[in-house]
Amino acid sequence: MTIACDAGVSPLGTSDAALVRRTLDGDARAFALLVDRHAPACLRYATRMLGERADAEEATQEALLRAHDALHGYDDRMAFRTWLFAILINRCRTALRQRTRRERRFVHDRDALARSTIDGDASAIDLRQDIERALAALSADQREAFLLRHVEQLGYEEIAAATGAGVSASKMRVKRACERLKLLLGNVGRADAD
Amino acid sequence: MPTEWPDDSMEPPLDPRLARAVALLREPEPISAEWRAEVLTRARWRHRPARSRALVATLGAAAALCLAVGAGWWWRTSAAADHRAASAVRSAPPVHFAFSAPEARHVALVGDFDGWNPRGLPMRRAPDGRTWYVDVRLAPGRHVFAFSVDGGLRVDPAAPRAMEDDFGTPTSVVVVTSRGVN
């Protein structure tokens, strides 16, 4: 059975900080609300980052459990989402380091991928496959920054806090990722020329 | 495309095709009820709430004071108890766990006997290609367990269901005696 979790604010309008306090006081349902609120975005990021649903589920689960263990150290001057994503980013980085070459799903011949031409009229399914392959061709740092900025829509200050990179470095990674993805997907000029 | 902009709202827009691709990437990933329940169950087992910790600390201090009076006797009996428990595990016949999952890539045994370690005890695929198995020595008593099949928990169809979980996590029960599984 699959359920679609609504990541919005709970009907009672309880803030993340309040739910953290209630969790520390022993309210298990408060942590369940935090999971329901943030797990979908975490799983989405991990799936896009790792390219493998099973790995993403494991990394997300570990991140949520580590966050649960470390709640006593959470400082509500940082957004809970940013704090949780910092944990998740580290879990994903660990998963990538542990992954062996033979387990990669996507083409890792960057030259072949760069020469490939993508039909400008591709359906949504084709575009989805194309972007996933293109993401896999990015460096881990660029893919990480791009996903956090344009998919998870974090601000650059948040990205810097979550990744440990500076704001300028994060902007440069996103810029280079966008340029590379545009090339891989095939820009308008190349499609017209073909 | 400039590298720096004064604030995030002035960031250059994405290429149109890339923007369409990003919209697809933003589609949510479904969360299964089973996965959710596993997260919440493991969180509950790993962490005691603050009030419970305070109570345990108070009771623990009182118990330590009582034990300090008979420290030598307590150490001798504790060591003997540890030795007996270890001997009971070593002498008990191993418990054979088996689960049919012909299409699984990875199956592990998880349970209270190792603190619900997320890695679990890896199980081996039997020659029939369908069954996964592992033999484990367990201390006599009641144990709650499950099979982690490619990341999802499954009950043992041959064992009684455990009824103690608040979040519907599928778990099974095995009772071990000094002569083996009851």
Side-chain angles (χ1 to χ4, degrees), chain A residues 43-181:
Chain A
L43 187 59
R44 177 177 60 194
Y45 168 81
T47 303
R48 308 287 181 265
M49 189 66 199
L50 300 178
E52 188 78 46
R53 172 77 184 200
D55 292 347
E57 286 185 343
E58 182 175 346
T60 302
Q61 188 168 114
E62 281 302 307
L64 290 168
L65 291 173
R66 283 175 181 250
H68 183 271
D69 291 347
L71 282 179
H72 59 279
Y74 167 64
D75 185 344
D76 62 8
R77 285 176 295 181
M78 175 184 286
F80 181 80
R81 184 189 185 205
T82 305
W83 181 77
L84 176 59
F85 259 85
I87 299 173
L88 176 63
I89 287 165
N90 281 327
R91 291 289 90 216
C92 289
R93 289 172 177 174
T94 299
L96 284 173
R97 282 196 300 271
Q98 292 173 343
R99 179 180 292 174
T100 59
R101 287 183 178 278
R102 59 185 171 83
E103 291 178 349
R104 285 183 186 172
R105 292 177 61 222
F106 301 112
V107 173
H108 55 273
D109 182 342
R110 291 188 173 85
D111 290 338
L113 196 59
R115 288 194 298 269
S116 66
T117 55
I118 309 297
D119 186 348
D121 296 324
S123 67
I125 294 176
D126 290 342
L127 182 57
R128 177 66 180 266
Q129 291 178 341
D130 294 341
I131 187 62
E132 288 180 351
R133 288 193 178 93
L135 279 174
L138 296 179
S139 70
D141 286 346
Q142 290 177 3
R143 183 164 70 250
E144 182 180 276
F146 178 83
L147 291 174
L148 291 172
R149 177 62 186 143
H150 287 295
V151 177
E152 302 308 326
Q153 299 177 282
L154 269 63
Y156 281 102
E157 294 288 345
E158 293 179 289
I159 293 173
T163 63
V167 170
S168 292
S170 298
K171 288 182 177 179
M172 177 60 73
R173 289 172 182 173
V174 172
K175 171 181 177 291
R176 289 177 175 166
C178 290
E179 291 171 348
R180 180 74 171 150
L181 291 172

Side-chain angles (χ1 to χ4, degrees), chain B residues 79-117:
Chain B
D82 288 345
H83 179 72
R84 285 195 297 272
S87 295
V89 173
R90 284 195 298 270
S91 61
V95 179
H96 180 76
F97 292 90
F99 186 76
S100 176
E103 297 183 357
R105 291 178 301 155
H106 176 75
V107 181
L109 175 68
V110 294
D112 58 6
F113 36 81
D114 68 347
W116 293 94
N117 185 327

Side-chain angles (χ1 to χ4, degrees), chain B residues 156-167:
Chain B
D156 182 348
R161 286 290 298 271
M163 302 299 292
E164 59 203 58
D165 187 77
D166 293 339
F167 302 103

Side-chain angles (χ1 to χ4, degrees), chain A residues 8-51:
Chain A
V9 179
S10 70
L12 296 178
T14 308
S15 68
D16 287 341
L19 289 176
V20 169
R21 286 192 294 272
R22 284 170 50 187
T23 301
L24 291 172
D25 284 341
D27 185 352
R29 303 210 181 277
F31 184 69
L33 286 173
L34 283 172
V35 170
D36 290 341
R37 186 178 291 178
H38 295 285
C42 289
L43 187 59
R44 177 177 60 194
Y45 168 81
T47 303
R48 308 287 181 265
M49 189 66 199
L50 300 178

